[in-house]
Amino acid sequence: MKITVDRNLCDGNGVCMGIAPDVFDVDDDLTLHVTDEIPDDPDVHAQVRQSVTSCPVLALTLVE
Ligand code: SF4
């Protein structure tokens, strides 16, 4: 699993960070940081998949 973010779409609303806080972090400037682009933990994979489908602007994509 590898996570990519479309920076043109992401508005920094933090929905993904709320679901997968070990992977996503939104800073004070509303910039999203992917702190673990290739997570190993299956539980985290599930959180990431939920984040992808929950992103309001569909900015996240996965390569399995
Ligand atoms: S949920 Fe989507 S728009 Fe919001 S911070 Fe995450 S990637 Fe960006």
Side-chain angles (χ1 to χ4, degrees):
M1 170 184 280
K2 184 173 190 314
I3 305 158
T4 59
V5 183
D6 186 333
R7 301 284 172 185
N8 294 318
L9 293 176
C10 176
D11 62 8
N13 58 55
V15 170
C16 56
M17 181 173 65
I19 297 168
D22 293 337
V23 173
F24 300 110
D25 182 61
V26 178
D27 67 19
D28 292 341
D29 295 326
L30 301 182
T31 299
L32 175 65
H33 302 276
V34 181
T35 55
D36 186 359
E37 287 188 341
I38 309 176
D40 286 333
D41 186 334
D43 290 341
V44 174
H45 285 195
Q47 293 175 358
V48 170
R49 287 194 185 90
Q50 186 181 349
S51 299
V52 169
T53 57
S54 298
C55 174
V57 296
L58 304 177
L60 297 172
T61 54
L62 290 182
V63 178
E64 298 283 350

